[in-house]
Amino acid sequence: MKLRELIKSDWPAWLVVTLPFIVLAVVWDRLPAELPMHWNMRGEVDRYDSKGFGVWMMPLIGLGIYLLLLAIPWMDPKRRIDPFQKGVRAFRLIIPTMMTGIFGIICLSWLAYPINTSSAVYLLLSVLFLTMGNFMATMKPNYFIGIRTPWTLESPENWRRTHRLGGKLWVFGSLAMIALWFFIPVAIYFWVFMTGILILSLVPVGYSLYLYLKDKRAATEGSRFEV
């Protein structure tokens, strides 16, 4: 019954993951026989494929990711994830929405709309990190979603402080990347984006290690004084 209620309450996510299939069915006859399928960092097409099953891969991947996120609470061996938790529900909507957004950008290029696909995807991914950062601090310790390091999983306090820092970093870092997107050429922005992603990924991991070493040092000094 709980799974049925969850699926029913997730109707916005279901709408998002089914939208690409509806769009493809509507525009199928308008798609050319040869479609651009890959773009370089400048947004230039560097691979074409014939119209076929590959066109449906992005919608299928989006659906698969949503189903995986839906199943994660039951995959967690310690049942730490509440499927109705605000942050978990947000991730089930945010990530499929990002996949649908990327599909929409690609579909526009298939229909010969003048759009720089790579540039648009960089912007969309920056918005994704911004949105996820807003919910980062609400995530409770688990094995699947969040900043999962040996140190955050070992200590609830380490998890809380790391995700509080990570959430703020993702929000402000993403805002900075979005602002730069308007002023930097796409070929250069690729390196800005990749640098930003590395910072957003590695700083929280380093901070969780710092907290672990700090707590370990404090515990060692405390036991020394007790002796």
Side-chain angles (χ1 to χ4, degrees):
M1 185 64 181
K2 191 174 182 180
L3 178 59
R4 186 181 303 174
E5 293 174 358
L6 182 62
I7 293 174
K8 185 177 179 180
S9 68
D10 259 14
W11 67 265
W14 281 106
L15 180 61
V16 167
V17 298
T18 56
L19 183 60
F21 294 97
I22 298 172
V23 170
L24 268 182
V26 171
V27 305
W28 184 261
D29 292 335
R30 294 173 54 193
L31 297 179
E34 291 289 323
L35 298 172
M37 297 299 290
H38 192 271
W39 294 259
N40 61 27
M41 70 176 103
R42 296 182 180 85
E44 302 164 343
V45 181
D46 56 15
R47 194 184 86 229
Y48 287 85
D49 284 333
S50 59
K51 183 172 69 172
F53 178 75
V55 175
W56 299 89
M57 287 303 297
M58 183 66 73
L60 289 171
I61 291 171
L63 176 61
I65 290 175
Y66 169 73
L67 293 176
L68 177 62
L69 291 171
L70 191 67
I72 276 175
W74 287 270
M75 295 168 59
D76 186 348
K78 294 190 177 181
R79 296 293 191 272
R80 292 180 173 181
I81 303 177
D82 178 3
F84 292 94
Q85 182 188 335
K86 182 179 179 181
V88 175
R89 294 186 66 180
F91 272 65
R92 283 203 306 271
L93 179 60
I94 292 168
I95 296 178
T97 299
M98 184 268 295
M99 297 297 296
T100 297
I102 293 176
F103 167 79
I105 293 168
I106 294 173
C107 192
L108 287 174
S109 72
W110 290 343
L111 295 171
Y113 282 88
I115 183 171
N116 188 309
T117 305
S118 296
S119 180
V121 169
Y122 297 150
L123 178 61
L124 185 61
L125 291 175
S126 299
V127 173
L128 169 69
F129 276 90
L130 170 64
T131 310
M132 291 196 301
N134 278 288
F135 293 95
M136 187 67 70
T138 68
M139 297 302 302
K140 297 180 180 179
N142 68 90
Y143 293 112
F144 296 95
I145 303 175
I147 304 168
R148 303 171 312 283
T149 70
W151 314 292
T152 56
L153 293 175
E154 182 179 302
S155 166
E157 179 62 15
N158 191 308
W159 176 283
R160 185 187 68 82
R161 295 178 65 180
T162 298
H163 281 73
R164 186 172 61 183
L165 172 74
K168 293 178 180 178
L169 180 66
W170 283 28
V171 167
F172 291 107
S174 298
L175 286 173
M177 289 195 295
I178 292 170
L180 291 171
W181 181 86
F182 291 96
F183 303 102
I184 298 178
V186 62
I188 299 175
Y189 186 82
F190 169 79
W191 300 107
V192 174
F193 179 80
M194 294 306 298
T195 301
I197 294 301
L198 283 174
I199 293 173
L200 297 186
S201 303
L202 296 179
V203 169
V205 173
Y207 183 65
S208 70
L209 175 59
Y210 162 76
L211 292 176
Y212 166 76
L213 295 175
K214 181 181 177 182
D215 291 343
K216 184 177 180 180
R217 184 168 60 251
T220 301
E221 291 176 353
S223 62
R224 186 185 308 160
F225 285 126
E226 289 179 3
V227 175

